[in-house]
Amino acid sequence: MSTRATLTDVARTANVSLSTASIAFSGAGPIAAATRERVLAAAAALGYAGPNPVAASLRRGHSKIIGVLVGQDLRVNFRDPVAVQTLAGVASTLGDAARGMLLVPSGSDAGQDRTGVDLVRHGPMDAAVVLHQITPETARILRERQVPLVWVDRPRRGEISVRVQDRAGMAALGEHLLGLGHRHVGLATMPWSPKRQRGPIDPRGGSSPRERYVTDRLAGIRDAGLMPAAIETTARSLVEEGIRAGHALLDRAPQVTALVGFSDLIAAGLLLAAQERGLRVPEDVSVAGFDGVDLPWLGEHRLTSIVQPIQEKGEYAAQAAIMLADGGRPTSVALECDLRIGTTTGPAPT
């Protein structure tokens, strides 16, 4: 009968003391890089994944900590009002329930440094909320640790998710534009794939977005009876990405009378790109977004947008994670969105 390798086996194989092997995994003290690599190589050869944090938490009771997995570049995360408000919802709910929050940079934007991997592997957490894309390595480690997950905006078969009704929301926006007489629209989408490549997408199909919410928002536009004249994918939800995409769309399809961003930050960039070209908004071109965040720096303009319940989404995700941590069985939810008509959409020019 096969037995599971222990830390003692790893130390013996690496020819180090048990305390040195423990430090190599925990990062709790000084250790030479070569020694650490030798210990990890021995662990890999023996199939030892590291000290079992689940067993450790059982010895001392639950950690009362919920992990929150965010993108690798925290500076970018905190430039996005949607990410900030979602995180605020998570934090307030965990605080009210006397739970701790462990922020784990574990996104797939630029790979993972070892700090992020070590937190995923060893950080105390009874459950985790996944706010951004995670790497296959992160997913594997969490499965091995048997950490229950709540996925935000990224439903997974058989797992708990909290999302919004992206398709119905974008269909409402498409119907609004159609009612104003718009027939030629340009779309600036969120990233099409984990590689975050930017550039044109064939409106007739041929490739599909990796993320469900991007697929649903695109389908919603088509449900309304609008066939995009041009689609440009961005690398991430940033104003500068919207500016770049706006110029690309207007160069490629000058007949468009409306530009739609798959986030409000992208839509704000589309608006700025139109103004840089001397176009009046909404007289010459309408602009709309998705999120419903306040962008007071747009001055006289208030974006027409699909308002999603951002903070509530974080609150629901935290509540579900707490239930999972306590052995409960939460259900997945899809929250409703509303159309907010601002100053940036108007009748299509004739």
Side-chain angles (χ1 to χ4, degrees):
M1 183 176 68
S2 62
T3 59
R4 177 174 297 195
T6 67
L7 187 60
T8 300
D9 298 326
V10 173
R12 185 181 301 113
T13 301
N15 195 28
V16 299
S17 68
L18 183 60
S19 61
T20 297
S22 178
I23 291 171
F25 275 96
S26 69
I31 186 173
T35 302
R36 183 177 190 275
E37 290 303 317
R38 191 164 78 249
V39 171
L40 295 180
L46 293 171
Y48 178 72
N52 188 337
V54 174
S57 68
L58 288 174
R59 287 194 296 271
R60 61 179 182 269
H62 287 306
S63 68
K64 299 294 183 181
I65 294 174
I66 302 297
V68 181
L69 279 61
V70 298
Q72 190 70 26
D73 191 338
L74 294 180
R75 296 168 300 175
V76 172
N77 288 322
F78 291 114
R79 289 178 61 190
D80 184 348
V82 175
V84 171
Q85 290 180 41
T86 305
L87 191 58
V90 172
S92 64
T93 300
L94 294 181
D96 290 344
R99 304 295 172 114
M101 181 173 74
L102 178 64
L103 204 60
V104 183
S106 57
S108 60
D109 356 351
Q112 278 184 269
D113 61 26
R114 300 317 301 176
T115 301
V117 173
D118 288 345
L119 274 175
V120 171
R121 190 185 303 278
H122 303 297
M125 61 183 92
D126 299 329
V129 175
V130 183
L131 294 185
H132 293 85
Q133 291 175 351
I134 59 176
T135 65
E137 181 179 15
T138 293
R140 176 183 58 77
I141 293 170
L142 292 171
R143 283 196 302 270
E144 290 174 352
R145 290 187 56 176
Q146 299 181 359
V147 175
L149 303 178
V150 178
W151 298 83
V152 176
D153 291 329
R154 293 169 171 83
R156 295 292 189 276
R157 186 184 300 275
E159 298 194 63
I160 303 304
S161 65
V162 178
R163 61 188 184 90
V164 300
Q165 296 178 11
D166 297 277
R167 184 166 183 165
M170 198 60 96
L173 178 58
E175 290 167 2
H176 167 66
L177 293 174
L178 199 65
L180 291 171
H182 295 279
R183 299 294 183 272
H184 304 290
V185 300
L187 305 183
T189 77
M190 300 286 274
W192 209 256
S193 74
K195 294 181 179 179
R196 297 186 177 277
Q197 295 172 325
R198 52 176 68 91
I201 298 293
D202 187 349
R204 297 166 297 180
S207 65
S208 299
R210 171 73 177 270
E211 295 291 357
R212 164 77 177 274
Y213 70 95
V214 182
T215 302
D216 283 352
R217 292 180 192 183
L218 180 59
I221 286 288
R222 290 174 170 154
D223 287 346
L226 287 173
M227 176 57 67
I231 302 175
E232 184 79 9
T233 183
T234 66
R236 60 179 71 246
S237 177
L238 293 173
V239 174
E240 51 264 42
E241 284 291 312
I243 294 173
R244 183 204 61 78
H247 285 295
L249 289 168
L250 292 168
D251 283 341
R252 199 159 64 249
Q255 76 274 24
V256 299
T257 60
L259 297 171
V260 176
F262 277 25
S263 78
D264 280 350
L265 290 185
I266 292 174
L270 296 175
L271 187 152
L272 294 175
Q275 291 178 332
E276 288 176 0
R277 299 168 82 101
L279 296 174
R280 298 168 301 160
V281 176
E283 292 83 1
D284 298 323
V285 62
S286 288
V287 178
F290 194 110
D291 288 330
V293 299
D294 289 325
L295 302 174
W297 48 267
L298 285 177
E300 62 180 347
H301 283 302
R302 190 183 194 210
L303 279 172
T304 292
S305 180
I306 295 301
V307 181
Q308 60 162 311
I310 303 171
Q311 183 156 332
E312 290 90 335
K313 188 167 59 175
E315 292 169 355
Y316 272 97
Q319 291 165 5
I322 292 169
M323 287 185 65
L324 287 171
D326 291 346
R329 300 180 63 182
T331 57
S332 296
V333 296
L335 306 173
E336 293 183 1
C337 302
D338 297 305
L339 171 65
R340 181 189 73 197
I341 300 175
T343 64
T344 60
T345 51
T350 56

Coordinates of all heavy atoms in Angstrom, one line a residue, residues 124-176:
P124 N -3.4 31.0 5.0 CA -4.6 30.5 5.7 C -5.9 31.0 5.1 O -6.1 32.2 5.0 CB -4.4 31.0 7.2 CG -3.6 32.3 7.0 CD -2.7 32.0 5.8
M125 N -6.7 30.1 4.7 CA -8.1 30.5 4.2 C -9.0 29.4 4.2 O -8.6 28.2 3.9 CB -7.9 31.1 2.7 CG -7.4 30.1 1.7 SD -7.2 30.8 0.0 CE -5.5 31.4 0.1
D126 N -10.2 29.6 4.7 CA -11.2 28.6 4.8 C -12.0 28.5 3.5 O -12.7 27.4 3.2 CB -12.2 28.9 5.9 CG -11.5 29.0 7.3 OD1 -10.5 28.2 7.5 OD2 -12.0 29.8 8.1
A127 N -12.0 29.5 2.7 CA -12.7 29.5 1.4 C -12.1 30.7 0.6 O -11.3 31.5 1.2 CB -14.2 29.7 1.5
A128 N -12.4 30.9 -0.7 CA -11.8 31.9 -1.4 C -12.8 32.5 -2.4 O -13.6 31.7 -3.0 CB -10.5 31.5 -2.1
V129 N -12.7 33.8 -2.7 CA -13.5 34.5 -3.7 C -12.5 34.8 -4.9 O -11.4 35.4 -4.6 CB -14.1 35.8 -3.1 CG1 -14.8 36.6 -4.3 CG2 -15.0 35.5 -2.0
V130 N -12.9 34.4 -6.1 CA -12.0 34.6 -7.2 C -12.6 35.8 -8.0 O -13.6 35.7 -8.6 CB -12.0 33.3 -8.1 CG1 -11.0 33.6 -9.3 CG2 -11.6 32.1 -7.3
L131 N -11.8 36.9 -8.0 CA -12.3 38.1 -8.7 C -11.7 38.3 -10.1 O -12.2 39.1 -10.9 CB -11.9 39.4 -7.8 CG -12.6 39.5 -6.5 CD1 -12.2 40.8 -5.8 CD2 -14.1 39.4 -6.6
H132 N -10.6 37.6 -10.4 CA -9.9 37.8 -11.7 C -9.5 36.4 -12.2 O -9.6 35.4 -11.5 CB -8.7 38.7 -11.6 CG -9.0 40.1 -11.2 ND1 -9.2 40.6 -9.9 CD2 -9.2 41.2 -12.0 CE1 -9.5 41.9 -10.0 NE2 -9.6 42.3 -11.2
Q133 N -9.1 36.4 -13.4 CA -8.5 35.2 -14.0 C -7.4 34.6 -13.1 O -6.6 35.4 -12.6 CB -8.0 35.4 -15.4 CG -9.0 35.7 -16.4 CD -8.4 36.1 -17.8 OE1 -7.2 36.2 -17.9 NE2 -9.2 36.2 -18.8
I134 N -7.3 33.3 -13.0 CA -6.2 32.7 -12.2 C -5.5 31.8 -13.1 O -6.0 31.3 -14.1 CB -6.7 32.0 -10.9 CG1 -7.7 30.9 -11.2 CG2 -7.3 33.1 -10.0 CD1 -8.1 30.1 -10.0
T135 N -4.2 31.5 -12.8 CA -3.4 30.6 -13.6 C -3.8 29.2 -13.3 O -4.4 28.8 -12.3 CB -2.0 30.8 -13.3 OG1 -1.7 30.4 -11.9 CG2 -1.5 32.2 -13.5
P136 N -3.5 28.3 -14.3 CA -3.7 26.8 -14.0 C -3.0 26.3 -12.8 O -3.5 25.5 -12.0 CB -3.1 26.2 -15.3 CG -3.3 27.2 -16.3 CD -3.0 28.5 -15.6
E137 N -1.8 26.9 -12.5 CA -1.1 26.5 -11.3 C -1.9 26.8 -10.0 O -2.0 26.0 -9.1 CB 0.3 27.1 -11.2 CG 1.1 26.7 -10.0 CD 2.5 27.3 -9.9 OE1 2.7 28.3 -10.7 OE2 3.3 26.9 -9.1
T138 N -2.4 28.1 -10.0 CA -3.2 28.5 -8.8 C -4.4 27.6 -8.7 O -4.8 27.1 -7.6 CB -3.7 29.9 -9.0 OG1 -2.6 30.8 -9.0 CG2 -4.7 30.3 -7.9
A139 N -5.1 27.3 -9.8 CA -6.3 26.4 -9.7 C -5.9 25.0 -9.2 O -6.7 24.5 -8.3 CB -7.0 26.3 -11.1
R140 N -4.8 24.5 -9.6 CA -4.4 23.2 -9.2 C -4.1 23.2 -7.7 O -4.5 22.3 -7.0 CB -3.2 22.7 -10.0 CG -2.6 21.4 -9.5 CD -1.3 21.1 -10.3 NE -0.3 22.1 -10.1 CZ 0.5 22.3 -9.0 NH1 0.3 21.5 -8.0 NH2 1.4 23.2 -9.0
I141 N -3.4 24.2 -7.2 CA -3.0 24.2 -5.8 C -4.3 24.3 -4.9 O -4.4 23.6 -3.9 CB -2.1 25.4 -5.5 CG1 -0.7 25.2 -6.2 CG2 -1.9 25.6 -4.0 CD1 0.2 26.4 -6.2
L142 N -5.2 25.2 -5.3 CA -6.4 25.3 -4.5 C -7.2 24.0 -4.5 O -7.9 23.7 -3.5 CB -7.3 26.5 -5.1 CG -6.6 27.9 -4.9 CD1 -7.4 28.9 -5.6 CD2 -6.6 28.2 -3.4
R143 N -7.2 23.3 -5.6 CA -7.9 22.0 -5.7 C -7.2 21.0 -4.7 O -7.9 20.3 -4.0 CB -7.9 21.4 -7.1 CG -9.0 22.0 -8.0 CD -9.2 21.2 -9.2 NE -8.0 20.9 -10.0 CZ -7.5 21.7 -10.9 NH1 -8.2 22.8 -11.3 NH2 -6.4 21.4 -11.6
E144 N -5.9 21.0 -4.7 CA -5.2 20.1 -3.8 C -5.4 20.4 -2.4 O -5.5 19.6 -1.5 CB -3.7 20.2 -4.1 CG -3.3 19.6 -5.5 CD -1.8 19.8 -5.8 OE1 -1.1 20.6 -5.1 OE2 -1.3 19.2 -6.8
R145 N -5.6 21.7 -2.1 CA -5.9 22.2 -0.7 C -7.3 22.0 -0.3 O -7.7 22.1 0.8 CB -5.5 23.7 -0.6 CG -4.0 23.9 -0.6 CD -3.7 25.4 -0.2 NE -4.3 25.8 1.1 CZ -4.2 27.0 1.6 NH1 -3.5 27.9 1.0 NH2 -4.7 27.3 2.8
Q146 N -8.1 21.7 -1.3 CA -9.6 21.6 -1.1 C -10.2 22.8 -0.5 O -11.1 22.8 0.3 CB -9.9 20.4 -0.2 CG -9.4 19.0 -0.8 CD -9.7 17.9 0.1 OE1 -10.2 18.0 1.2 NE2 -9.3 16.7 -0.3
V147 N -9.8 24.0 -1.1 CA -10.3 25.3 -0.7 C -11.6 25.5 -1.5 O -11.5 25.6 -2.8 CB -9.3 26.4 -0.9 CG1 -9.9 27.8 -0.6 CG2 -8.1 26.2 0.0
P148 N -12.7 25.7 -1.0 CA -13.9 25.9 -1.8 C -13.9 27.3 -2.3 O -13.4 28.3 -1.7 CB -15.1 25.8 -0.8 CG -14.5 26.0 0.6 CD -13.1 25.5 0.5
L149 N -14.4 27.5 -3.6 CA -14.2 28.7 -4.3 C -15.6 29.3 -4.7 O -16.5 28.6 -4.9 CB -13.4 28.5 -5.6 CG -12.0 27.9 -5.5 CD1 -11.4 27.8 -6.8 CD2 -11.1 28.8 -4.6
V150 N -15.6 30.7 -4.7 CA -16.7 31.4 -5.3 C -16.2 32.2 -6.4 O -15.3 33.1 -6.2 CB -17.4 32.3 -4.2 CG1 -18.5 33.1 -4.8 CG2 -17.9 31.5 -3.0
W151 N -16.7 32.0 -7.6 CA -16.3 32.7 -8.8 C -17.1 33.9 -9.1 O -18.3 33.8 -9.2 CB -16.3 31.7 -10.0 CG -15.4 30.5 -9.8 CD1 -15.7 29.4 -9.1 CD2 -14.1 30.4 -10.3 NE1 -14.7 28.5 -9.2 CE2 -13.7 29.1 -10.0 CE3 -13.3 31.2 -11.1 CZ2 -12.4 28.6 -10.3 CZ3 -12.0 30.7 -11.5 CH2 -11.6 29.4 -11.1
V152 N -16.5 35.1 -9.2 CA -17.2 36.3 -9.6 C -17.1 36.6 -11.1 O -16.0 36.7 -11.6 CB -16.7 37.5 -8.7 CG1 -17.4 38.8 -9.2 CG2 -16.9 37.2 -7.3
D153 N -18.2 36.7 -11.7 CA -18.3 37.0 -13.2 C -17.8 35.8 -14.1 O -17.8 35.9 -15.3 CB -17.5 38.2 -13.6 CG -18.2 39.5 -13.0 OD1 -19.4 39.5 -12.9 OD2 -17.5 40.5 -12.7
R154 N -17.4 34.7 -13.5 CA -16.8 33.6 -14.2 C -17.4 32.3 -13.8 O -16.7 31.5 -13.0 CB -15.2 33.6 -14.0 CG -14.6 34.8 -14.7 CD -13.1 34.9 -14.3 NE -12.5 36.0 -15.0 CZ -12.5 37.3 -14.7 NH1 -13.2 37.7 -13.7 NH2 -11.9 38.1 -15.5
P155 N -18.6 32.0 -14.2 CA -19.2 30.8 -13.7 C -18.5 29.5 -14.2 O -17.9 29.5 -15.3 CB -20.6 30.8 -14.4 CG -20.5 31.8 -15.6 CD -19.4 32.8 -15.2
R156 N -18.4 28.6 -13.3 CA -17.8 27.3 -13.6 C -18.8 26.2 -13.3 O -19.5 26.2 -12.3 CB -16.5 27.1 -12.7 CG -15.4 28.1 -13.0 CD -14.8 27.8 -14.3 NE -13.6 28.6 -14.5 CZ -13.5 29.9 -14.9 NH1 -14.6 30.5 -15.2 NH2 -12.4 30.5 -15.1
R157 N -18.8 25.2 -14.1 CA -19.8 24.1 -14.0 C -19.6 23.4 -12.6 O -18.5 23.0 -12.3 CB -19.6 23.1 -15.1 CG -20.6 22.0 -15.1 CD -20.3 21.0 -16.2 NE -20.3 21.6 -17.5 CZ -21.4 21.8 -18.3 NH1 -22.6 21.4 -17.8 NH2 -21.3 22.3 -19.5
G158 N -20.6 23.3 -11.9 CA -20.6 22.6 -10.6 C -20.0 23.4 -9.5 O -19.9 22.9 -8.4
E159 N -19.7 24.7 -9.7 CA -19.2 25.5 -8.6 C -20.0 26.7 -8.4 O -20.9 27.1 -9.3 CB -17.7 25.9 -9.0 CG -16.8 24.7 -9.1 CD -15.3 25.1 -9.0 OE1 -14.9 25.6 -8.0 OE2 -14.6 24.9 -10.1
I160 N -19.8 27.4 -7.3 CA -20.6 28.6 -7.0 C -20.1 29.8 -7.7 O -18.9 30.1 -7.7 CB -20.6 28.8 -5.4 CG1 -21.1 27.5 -4.7 CG2 -21.5 30.0 -5.1 CD1 -22.4 27.0 -5.1
S161 N -21.0 30.6 -8.2 CA -20.6 31.8 -8.9 C -21.6 32.9 -8.6 O -22.8 32.7 -8.3 CB -20.6 31.6 -10.5 OG -21.9 31.3 -11.0
V162 N -21.1 34.1 -8.7 CA -21.9 35.3 -8.5 C -21.6 36.2 -9.8 O -20.5 36.6 -10.0 CB -21.6 36.1 -7.2 CG1 -22.4 37.4 -7.2 CG2 -21.8 35.2 -6.0
R163 N -22.7 36.5 -10.5 CA -22.4 37.3 -11.7 C -23.7 38.2 -12.0 O -24.6 38.2 -11.2 CB -22.2 36.4 -12.9 CG -23.4 35.4 -13.3 CD -23.0 34.4 -14.3 NE -24.1 33.6 -14.7 CZ -25.0 33.9 -15.7 NH1 -24.9 35.0 -16.4 NH2 -26.0 33.0 -16.0
V164 N -23.6 39.0 -13.0 CA -24.8 39.8 -13.4 C -25.3 39.3 -14.7 O -24.7 38.5 -15.5 CB -24.4 41.3 -13.5 CG1 -23.8 41.8 -12.2 CG2 -23.3 41.5 -14.6
Q165 N -26.5 39.8 -15.0 CA -27.2 39.3 -16.3 C -26.6 40.2 -17.4 O -27.3 41.1 -18.0 CB -28.7 39.5 -16.1 CG -29.2 38.5 -15.0 CD -30.7 38.6 -14.8 OE1 -31.4 39.3 -15.6 NE2 -31.2 38.0 -13.8
D166 N -25.4 39.9 -17.9 CA -24.7 40.6 -18.9 C -25.5 40.7 -20.2 O -25.6 41.7 -20.8 CB -23.3 40.1 -19.1 CG -22.5 40.1 -17.9 OD1 -21.8 41.2 -17.7 OD2 -22.4 39.1 -17.2
R167 N -26.0 39.6 -20.6 CA -26.7 39.5 -21.9 C -27.9 40.3 -22.0 O -28.1 41.1 -22.9 CB -27.0 38.0 -22.3 CG -27.6 37.8 -23.6 CD -27.5 36.4 -24.0 NE -28.0 36.2 -25.4 CZ -27.9 35.0 -26.1 NH1 -27.2 34.0 -25.5 NH2 -28.4 34.9 -27.3
A168 N -28.8 40.2 -20.9 CA -30.0 41.0 -20.9 C -29.7 42.5 -20.8 O -30.4 43.3 -21.4 CB -30.9 40.5 -19.7
G169 N -28.7 42.8 -20.0 CA -28.3 44.2 -19.8 C -27.9 44.8 -21.1 O -28.3 45.9 -21.5
M170 N -27.0 44.1 -21.9 CA -26.5 44.7 -23.1 C -27.6 44.7 -24.2 O -27.6 45.5 -25.1 CB -25.3 43.9 -23.6 CG -24.4 44.6 -24.6 SD -23.8 46.2 -24.0 CE -22.1 45.7 -23.5
A171 N -28.5 43.7 -24.1 CA -29.6 43.7 -25.0 C -30.5 45.0 -24.8 O -30.9 45.6 -25.8 CB -30.5 42.5 -24.9
A172 N -30.7 45.4 -23.6 CA -31.4 46.6 -23.3 C -30.7 47.9 -23.9 O -31.3 48.8 -24.4 CB -31.6 46.8 -21.8
L173 N -29.4 47.9 -23.8 CA -28.6 49.0 -24.4 C -28.7 49.0 -25.9 O -28.9 50.0 -26.5 CB -27.2 48.9 -23.9 CG -26.2 49.9 -24.5 CD1 -26.7 51.3 -24.1 CD2 -24.8 49.7 -24.0
G174 N -28.7 47.8 -26.5 CA -28.8 47.7 -27.9 C -30.2 48.2 -28.4 O -30.3 48.8 -29.4
E175 N -31.2 47.8 -27.7 CA -32.5 48.3 -28.0 C -32.7 49.8 -27.9 O -33.3 50.4 -28.7 CB -33.6 47.6 -27.1 CG -33.7 46.1 -27.4 CD -34.5 45.3 -26.4 OE1 -35.0 46.0 -25.4 OE2 -34.6 44.1 -26.5
H176 N -32.0 50.3 -26.9 CA -32.0 51.8 -26.8 C -31.4 52.5 -28.0 O -31.9 53.4 -28.6 CB -31.2 52.2 -25.5 CG -30.9 53.6 -25.4 ND1 -31.9 54.6 -25.2 CD2 -29.7 54.3 -25.4 CE1 -31.2 55.8 -25.2 NE2 -29.9 55.6 -25.3

